[in-house]
Amino acid sequence: MRLLLWALSWVVAMFSTVGVAWPAAPVVDVQDTVRRTLQWSSAGDHLLEVSNISGSIRIVASDRRDIELVAERTIHADSDAAASDAKRDVRLDVSESAGTVRVCADAERCGCRTSDRSTDRWSFGRWREDRYRVEIDFELRVPKDTRLMVCTINGGRVTIDGAAGDFDVRNVNGGIDMTGITGSGRAETVNGSLNASFAANPKSASSFKTVNGDIVVAFPRTLAADLRLKTFNGGLYTDFDVTPLAPAPAAERRNGRFVYRTNQFAAVRVGQGGPELTFEGFNGDVRVIEKK
């Protein structure tokens, strides 16, 4: 059975992006680059944690044993003194241990893990001084089986290519793109699209979420999983053959397709079923498609 679900609502919800008062006309632009080679001190399970505040994160996985880090920092300031203050205040921090390599754009606000999710997502601290703003764009080349914990807040996308390890990816004002991945985990943003393409199907529960943007996730045709799909202002679609796991809501037929009216999760099974894969949008479409 081909499934097409449309979640319709008479309420149009708007979600505003974070407003940041950057300098109107910076007169000083300073750029510098940090290059490091990083590695874990023991064999076994390895985690890379990258936390940013303003800027992009790009991770490319390949057959290697260490991590190659390039961090491009750009400071926009209204004076030389302000640029000097920015260099002093915002300091890159890198640590290596037996099982974890940690890269932090700000030594005083380090890490993606926190019990206070509001602080984790919205605190800009010194990065939003009236006299300057700082952006750091990360590019990292990592071993394929590295577990990834990655987060940024403003001004850049998160891009991951070829990773085989499990993932925890978060953004706020920017999208997420993952290609050629084979792990399991979660990916979520607030203002941006979420695109993922799997080279092998996830083996355990995974979730994909955004508020403002489309979700498009592609799996190999051998997918066997239980899907939960939901959006508020948008459509739900899959081109896999599926079996409903719960009674379907009332439907009407339009142009040869069934249109469903519901604000609840649609639960369907692909193949013989398997790990639970959750897709949750709000203002945008959700598409679970076969990888071509």
Side-chain angles (χ1 to χ4, degrees), residues 3-291:
L3 176 68
L4 175 65
L5 302 175
W6 286 97
L8 304 176
S9 172
W10 56 90
V11 178
V12 178
M14 299 299 294
F15 197 97
S16 61
T17 60
V18 176
V20 182
W22 304 129
V27 296
V28 178
D29 286 326
V30 178
Q31 292 184 314
D32 54 21
T33 302
V34 174
R35 299 179 185 273
R36 293 278 300 274
T37 298
L38 311 169
Q39 57 187 2
W40 301 272
S41 59
S42 69
D45 183 55
H46 291 153
L47 170 68
L48 169 64
E49 184 173 0
V50 184
S51 61
N52 200 359
I53 293 180
S54 185
S56 63
I57 300 173
R58 180 171 184 257
I59 295 176
V60 179
S62 62
D63 294 323
R64 59 185 302 135
R65 295 184 178 180
D66 56 11
I67 296 173
E68 179 184 322
L69 163 69
V70 179
E72 301 275 359
R73 180 174 64 171
T74 303
I75 298 172
H76 306 283
D78 62 11
S79 66
D80 290 332
S84 296
D85 288 346
K87 288 183 179 181
R88 178 200 64 206
D89 295 341
V90 179
R91 295 174 292 105
L92 181 70
D93 182 75
V94 176
S95 63
E96 301 163 272
S97 67
T100 302
V101 168
R102 206 177 203 198
V103 178
C104 302
D106 188 348
E108 295 190 21
R109 182 203 171 279
C110 197
C112 295
R113 311 178 209 218
T114 175
S115 58
D116 184 352
R117 294 297 298 277
S118 61
T119 299
D120 177 55
R121 290 180 172 275
W122 303 107
S123 175
F124 283 82
R126 297 171 303 285
W127 292 62
R128 59 172 296 173
E129 291 285 341
D130 290 338
R131 298 174 301 119
Y132 64 75
R133 64 183 171 97
V134 181
E135 298 170 354
I136 299 180
D137 295 316
F138 288 104
E139 180 168 335
L140 302 102
R141 299 187 178 275
V142 308
K144 282 187 176 180
D145 60 353
T146 305
R147 286 193 300 117
L148 299 174
M149 180 174 289
V150 179
C151 59
T152 189
I153 296 177
N154 202 60
R157 298 186 75 85
V158 177
T159 305
I160 298 173
D161 183 24
D166 289 345
F167 54 86
D168 185 337
V169 182
R170 284 177 275 164
N171 201 348
V172 177
N173 289 315
I176 296 173
D177 297 308
M178 301 188 294
T179 59
I181 58 176
T182 61
S184 307
R186 70 170 180 172
E188 63 179 67
T189 186
V190 178
N191 296 302
S193 60
L194 197 164
N195 303 289
S197 177
F198 281 77
N201 293 312
K203 297 179 180 179
S204 60
S206 300
S207 64
F208 308 86
K209 182 178 181 180
T210 186
V211 176
N212 292 310
D214 294 334
I215 298 173
V216 181
V217 184
F219 299 98
R221 66 175 56 189
T222 56
L223 178 67
D226 293 334
L227 311 184
R228 298 174 69 246
L229 308 98
K230 179 182 179 181
T231 190
F232 196 73
N233 293 306
L236 307 177
Y237 173 79
T238 179
D239 58 4
F240 285 97
D241 289 339
V242 300
T243 303
L245 292 177
E252 57 183 276
R253 195 173 184 87
R254 295 182 186 172
N255 299 321
R257 295 176 175 179
F258 286 104
V259 177
Y260 295 84
R261 297 181 181 274
T262 177
N263 291 324
Q264 305 300 316
F265 276 101
V268 296
R269 173 162 291 168
V270 179
Q272 299 301 310
E276 185 175 85
L277 308 179
T278 301
F279 309 85
E280 183 175 1
F282 195 84
N283 291 315
D285 295 337
V286 175
R287 299 173 62 86
V288 179
I289 60 176
E290 182 180 314
K291 184 176 180 292

